[in-house]
Amino acid sequence: METRARRRPHLFPLLLLLLLLCGECPPVGGCNEKRMLAMLPHCGQTFAERMKKVEVWKWCNLSEFIVYYESFTNCTEVETNVVGCYWPNPLAESFIAGVHRRFFQNCSVDRQHWQDPPDEILIPLIAVPILLTIAMTGVVVWRSKRTDQVV
């Protein structure tokens, strides 16, 4: 046995890497969805307790509770992996969406509606670079035809 280990020293790092990578692999038994659904509310309750520290009017400002939300996300991932399920999965996403509806339903996404500028501004912004390109090309061609004069 000792001679085999000496002949294959390159296998140890490979086995170590395999163990490290499979540390987060779900068990062979598969996903236990019932257990996952029983464990995820713990993450939601912890998040709800932490959100009590944040004033309600600040709930739409992610910078006010980002640490709590990151902890909530990590919790759902860990609990999901512990029961052999992959994360994210439809059930976990549904649970997370429920938490979002509870805490962030009044948060609107302020998206600015972009419009083209008026034609009086848009046309010159398009025409000037085109005319400059044509003019510069003309100057280059004109100067290249005048090879008899040295500048």
Side-chain angles (χ1 to χ4, degrees):
M1 185 97 170
E2 185 176 307
T3 56
R4 279 187 185 172
R6 286 184 192 162
R7 280 187 256 159
R8 297 183 188 157
H10 62 282
L11 289 180
F12 180 72
L14 184 62
L15 288 172
L16 184 61
L17 179 64
L18 184 63
L19 284 172
L20 289 172
L21 290 175
C22 285
E24 294 188 22
C25 294
V28 178
C31 176
N32 186 339
E33 292 177 349
K34 285 183 180 179
R35 190 163 167 230
M36 178 187 67
L37 290 174
M39 294 175 79
L40 286 179
H42 164 71
C43 300
Q45 290 168 353
T46 304
F47 180 70
E49 287 297 316
R50 291 178 176 173
M51 285 298 285
K52 287 179 183 177
K53 298 175 186 175
V54 180
E55 297 174 43
V56 176
W57 62 274
K58 292 183 177 180
W59 282 6
C60 294
N61 185 355
L62 186 60
S63 63
E64 294 290 332
F65 60 89
I66 186 70
V67 174
Y68 304 148
Y69 190 80
E70 180 183 15
S71 178
F72 166 70
T73 305
N74 291 339
C75 179
T76 59
E77 183 175 3
V78 167
E79 296 296 348
T80 302
N81 289 332
V82 163
V83 296
C85 301
Y86 289 99
W87 188 91
N89 64 57
L91 289 174
E93 287 178 355
S94 175
F95 175 77
I96 292 169
V99 171
H100 279 231
R101 279 191 298 277
R102 177 178 171 193
F103 289 98
F104 312 120
Q105 68 180 351
N106 294 327
C107 300
S108 62
V109 180
D110 295 331
R111 293 188 185 183
Q112 189 169 359
H113 182 68
W114 294 96
Q115 293 180 344
D116 287 337
D119 288 344
E120 298 83 30
I121 295 173
L122 190 61
I123 291 173
L125 287 174
I126 294 170
V128 169
I130 292 172
L131 293 175
L132 281 175
T133 303
I134 293 170
M136 292 305 293
T137 305
V139 169
V140 169
V141 169
W142 178 66
R143 290 295 292 164
S144 65
K145 287 184 178 182
R146 299 183 58 195
T147 56
D148 57 339
Q149 295 178 353
V150 178
V151 177

